[in-house]
Amino acid sequence: MESKEIIVLGGGCFWCTEAVFKMLKGAVLVEPGYAGGTLANPTYEDIGRGNTGHAEVVAIEYNSALVSLETLLTVFFASHDPTTKDRQGNDVGTQYRSIILYENNQQKEIAEKFIAGLNSSSEKGTPIVTEVKKLERFYPAEDYHKNYYENNKNKAYCQVVINPKLKKVQEKFRSLLKHG
């Protein structure tokens, strides 16, 4: 029986996050957008100013019979740096923060327990700064952001930033991939 759920994750630029999660078995739909802030109907330009409170995120509709939230979180935390506040690489600002936006208390508990487990796994490790927050509203990104990697593989950003992330995920999580 198919059981679909949605989780919204922000791990820096949504072009990277979308490309990573589109590869995974059980990810039915991955849509880039904005969430976590206060401005209604934000645009990419609004988000870029860094004062809306929103983060660049992806809404992931997943079949929980094929992939667990814990598995999605494992890939999420392995594919970005959850220990840097308001930054991923050269992308700096609150719109690039690490964030999990949950729909229900079960997702909240799983996310908080997962983060606590990561934080307790090493006394010398840098603490996770990922924000865990209830999803109030998801605003889909403009159409030109959807399937960005697939449509722009030859652009410098895709070559320099996205390709290495995808390679890392493909090597580390081969058994979780749709085609591999």
Side-chain angles (χ1 to χ4, degrees):
M1 174 179 231
E2 198 168 294
S3 177
K4 292 183 184 172
E5 292 189 48
I6 294 175
I7 191 75
V8 177
L9 304 174
C13 174
F14 53 26
W15 297 339
C16 297
T17 313
E18 178 195 40
V20 165
F21 284 96
K22 286 187 81 143
M23 296 188 306
L24 298 185
K25 292 178 197 170
V28 178
L29 179 69
V30 182
E31 182 175 18
Y34 317 108
T38 55
L39 181 68
N41 303 308
T43 65
Y44 186 65
E45 290 71 28
D46 293 331
I47 300 300
R49 288 190 209 54
N51 60 1
T52 65
H54 289 295
E56 288 192 16
V57 297
V58 292
I60 304 166
E61 180 181 332
Y62 64 99
N63 180 341
S64 59
L66 296 177
V67 64
S68 68
L69 179 54
E70 291 88 349
T71 298
L72 294 175
L73 292 175
T74 299
V75 173
F76 172 66
F77 282 107
S79 63
H80 81 292
D81 181 354
T83 66
T84 56
K85 185 168 175 51
D86 301 336
R87 164 182 214 132
Q88 287 299 307
N90 291 328
D91 294 329
V92 179
T94 58
Q95 66 271 33
Y96 300 114
R97 70 189 181 275
S98 179
I99 188 169
I100 299 169
L101 296 141
Y102 59 87
E103 285 199 316
N104 57 55
N105 285 334
Q106 181 183 12
Q107 290 177 333
K108 176 185 179 190
E109 290 170 16
I110 290 170
E112 288 175 342
K113 182 178 178 184
F114 197 94
I115 291 170
L118 289 174
N119 279 331
S120 68
S121 67
S122 171
E123 290 178 19
K124 295 181 181 181
T126 306
I128 304 294
V129 296
T130 304
E131 181 180 0
V132 178
K133 183 175 179 178
K134 179 152 183 61
L135 177 65
E136 299 296 331
R137 178 93 193 262
F138 173 82
Y139 297 96
E142 296 81 355
D143 285 345
Y144 69 94
H145 293 295
K146 297 173 183 169
N147 301 308
Y148 187 86
Y149 177 76
E150 288 174 33
N151 296 329
N152 297 281
K153 287 182 182 177
N154 293 325
K155 289 201 173 177
Y157 187 88
C158 294
Q159 294 287 314
V160 173
V161 178
I162 300 177
N163 278 345
K165 281 188 184 229
L166 296 181
K167 186 176 182 193
K168 178 181 172 183
V169 169
Q170 289 164 341
E171 289 172 357
K172 195 168 186 173
F173 302 106
R174 185 169 311 283
S175 66
L176 302 176
L177 303 179
K178 289 178 181 172
H179 308 289

